[in-house]
Amino acid sequence: MKKKVLIVCGTGIATSTVVNEKIKNLAKKAGVKVDINQAKVTEAKREIENSNYDFLVTTTAFSYKVDLPVINATAMISGIGEEEVEEKIIAKLKE
Amino acid sequence: MIEILEVLAGFFEILTNLGASVMLPIVIFILGILFGQKIGKAFHSGLLIGVGFIGINLILDLLVGNLGPAAEAMVERFGIELGIIDVGWPASAAIAFGSQVGALIIPIALGVNIIMILFKLTKTVNVDIWNFWHFAFTGALVARLTDSLVWGLVAAGINAAIVLVMADWTAPMVQDFYDIPNISLPHGFSAAYVPIAIPLNNLMDKIPGLREIDADPETIQDKFGIFGQPIIMGLILGLALGILAGYGAQEVLNLGVTMAAVMLLFPRMVKILMEGLTPLSEAAKNFMKEKFEDREIYIGLDSAIAIGHASAISTALILVPITILLAVILPGNSVLPFGDLASLPFLVVMIIPITKGNIFRSTIIGTLVIAVGLYISTGLAELHTAAAHAANFDFPEGAAMISSLIDGANPLTWILVRATGLGAWAIGLIGLLTMAAGYYIFRNYSARDDLA
């Protein structure tokens, strides 16, 4: 089963690329196949509607109401509390 | 100190003559090795950055080559003098990193940061290596203006210092409002609007009637949502400019789709650049964190982490049509807003905590700074274009001038460039004032403890 993850950040480029790399590595270690996309926060709603994502990872303030689980991964950028977020993501990947 | 810089400058002059797409891979490779990366990984990172540069150059050519003639035709038909193309921050970031100052910016900005932490002039450890391009951009313009790499480096270093002090100053407010404990936002563009927004917000506090107005973010996002989708915006602007240029139907449609392509592809190219920079950025982050683990520090991050706030998005969306309107009606403005219309959240993201999320006030402040910004970018366009050519971006010479709202319209960039133009004393004075402000803020501003 491939997990489909959307990473949302302010630009769809900068911080989401950093987190993309990290989630790819986490998935590799956990032995889970992932399909990761990145989006700008203003485009996120449309992207979610058009595709079947399993969960959302954000590196920015996220104020839209969505039906998907949302994990805030700002910690992966700052490095403070990173392990905790990693565990949350691994749990979601293995679900 | 100056002698060391000159020797380094000579070395980098040779490197820069190779062109950004060759120079930066070499620089990033060397830095990667210095920060303890494996050779294979460092090589791959460097190469990715070179590839990103070539990609950006291709899209920049596509943009200027298509939009330039259309803008010129529009000028001839209507006398609307909007001949300077806003190429957007992806191009400006590439120009900045591709300059001689850009080649040295990572060690310079980290060095300034380390010195300021050791002397207790800042609490921020800026790990947002990517956004060092803002400092490099100021430096690149100064280097063009003064024809001196050393002054370019000095200006870039002072820019980095100012932004650290501003990050400390705003940290309590930003941490509280966006709920991001231990973090500050040393962003070269977003932070520049803080000293302007604070007095304007205080002024609006005193005006009865104005004081109470606000807007609802959800309504605005529904009504202005289209401005949040770059490809649709690219299409519409391309079509509109084609029509204004007096093109035939086929050419109009062509310009529309081409501009949609530019809007979508530009960020994709930057993503390649970012992928190359990420491992180095991680290594630098770990290095800095280990060094200052025992100190009370803020981790300085990209202001992009706060951009998703509903008020920030809403304000930025309203500002898109306002920016286009201002560009058309302001006499003396020559900048045609395009590439950075989608990046306006960066302009408002640090204004929002000051107005406590009030969209109406943030829009008023945003409108004022954009109006001034258009004049700034008109004034700096010649240097901006010269810096692009100096970094080997080979869009048609003399065909069109380029600018971008980020950082071409940045008041802080403008002050530093113009101050250096006045002479060494002016830039020196700014440096001293920055250190004094850092000293004061370090001792008098603290984040709320209950957030940590």
Side-chain angles (χ1 to χ4, degrees), chain A residues 1-93:
Chain A
M1 229 336 255
K2 221 174 190 180
K3 288 279 174 188
K4 215 164 148 79
V5 185
L6 182 68
I7 308 174
V8 180
C9 82
T11 58
I13 314 161
T15 48
S16 52
T17 302
V18 177
V19 172
N20 188 330
E21 292 287 313
K22 293 192 172 179
I23 294 182
K24 247 190 257 167
N25 289 336
L26 287 179
K28 213 180 196 175
K29 271 186 213 153
V32 184
K33 283 211 173 91
V34 275
D35 181 4
I36 307 175
N37 266 331
Q38 293 169 226
K40 219 172 133 102
V41 66
T42 50
E43 297 165 318
K45 213 172 168 183
R46 173 170 298 254
E47 182 67 30
I48 295 163
E49 281 163 9
N50 292 343
S51 207
N52 293 318
Y53 286 102
D54 290 299
F55 64 98
L56 223 65
V57 175
T58 71
T59 57
T60 187
F62 192 77
S63 51
Y64 294 106
K65 288 176 199 84
V66 290
D67 291 332
L68 296 172
V70 179
I71 300 175
N72 187 314
T74 310
M76 284 185 147
I77 311 295
S78 69
I80 299 170
E82 189 164 356
E83 288 86 18
E84 212 175 300
V85 175
E86 279 179 3
E87 276 164 27
K88 268 193 214 165
I89 291 174
I90 293 171
K92 272 275 168 256
L93 285 172

Side-chain angles (χ1 to χ4, degrees), chain B residues 202-218:
Chain B
N202 289 343
L203 184 70
M204 281 189 271
D205 258 339
K206 295 197 173 66
I207 304 172
L210 203 66
R211 216 162 26 200
E212 289 82 21
I213 309 174
D214 198 357
D216 172 47
E218 291 219 355

Side-chain angles (χ1 to χ4, degrees), chain B residues 153-414:
Chain B
L153 293 173
V154 170
I158 290 177
N159 193 350
I162 292 173
V163 168
L164 285 172
V165 172
M166 287 198 183
D168 277 16
W169 181 29
T170 50
M173 183 168 67
V174 162
Q175 294 180 1
D176 194 16
F177 186 82
Y178 288 118
D179 193 22
I180 40 176
N182 304 318
I183 285 168
S184 67
L185 305 176
H187 191 276
F189 181 71
S190 306
Y193 295 98
V194 170
I196 304 164
I198 289 177
L200 284 175
N201 185 55
N202 289 343
L203 184 70
M204 281 189 271
D205 258 339
K206 295 197 173 66
I207 304 172
L210 203 66
R211 216 162 26 200
E212 289 82 21
I213 309 174
D214 198 357
D216 172 47
E218 291 219 355
T219 325
I220 287 165
Q221 284 174 31
D222 280 346
K223 290 210 170 103
F224 289 81
I226 193 149
F227 295 115
Q229 292 166 39
I231 58 165
I232 307 290
M233 233 163 44
L235 176 71
I236 293 172
L237 286 169
L239 294 175
L241 285 166
I243 292 167
L244 287 173
Y247 284 3
Q250 196 192 336
E251 283 173 300
V252 169
L253 293 172
N254 211 330
L255 189 63
V257 178
T258 309
M259 290 307 111
V262 167
M263 283 293 203
L264 185 74
L265 292 176
F266 235 148
R268 298 280 157 102
M269 298 303 171
V270 176
K271 186 171 175 286
I272 299 174
L273 213 66
M274 283 291 302
E275 276 172 16
L277 205 56
T278 300
L280 179 62
S281 175
E282 284 292 301
K285 178 171 92 186
N286 293 336
F287 170 82
M288 293 291 272
K289 267 178 63 193
E290 275 166 31
K291 276 262 173 319
F292 300 110
E293 228 164 13
D294 49 339
R295 294 278 284 266
E296 187 213 346
I297 54 164
Y298 307 140
I299 304 289
L301 299 184
D302 192 340
S303 60
I305 62 154
I307 272 171
H309 192 276
S311 295
I313 294 180
S314 305
T315 307
L317 291 177
I318 305 173
L319 285 173
V320 173
I322 291 178
T323 304
I324 298 172
L325 186 69
L326 285 173
V328 175
I329 63 169
L330 285 179
N333 166 58
S334 303
V335 174
L336 176 66
F338 180 75
D340 271 337
L341 286 172
S343 341
L344 293 174
F346 283 102
L347 186 135
V348 299
V349 70
M350 288 174 82
I351 296 175
I352 296 288
I354 295 168
T355 65
K356 304 216 161 44
N358 185 308
I359 296 170
F360 176 76
R361 287 186 189 193
S362 306
T363 305
I364 301 270
I365 297 170
T367 305
L368 288 171
V369 296
I370 288 171
V372 175
L374 287 170
Y375 287 113
I376 292 177
S377 52
T378 301
L380 288 180
E382 211 180 315
L383 278 177
H384 201 139
T385 310
H389 287 303
N392 284 19
F393 284 96
D394 53 359
F395 56 88
E397 190 133 12
M401 286 211 280
I402 60 160
S403 183
S404 61
L405 298 179
I406 305 177
D407 274 324
N410 184 339
L412 181 57
T413 309
W414 183 82

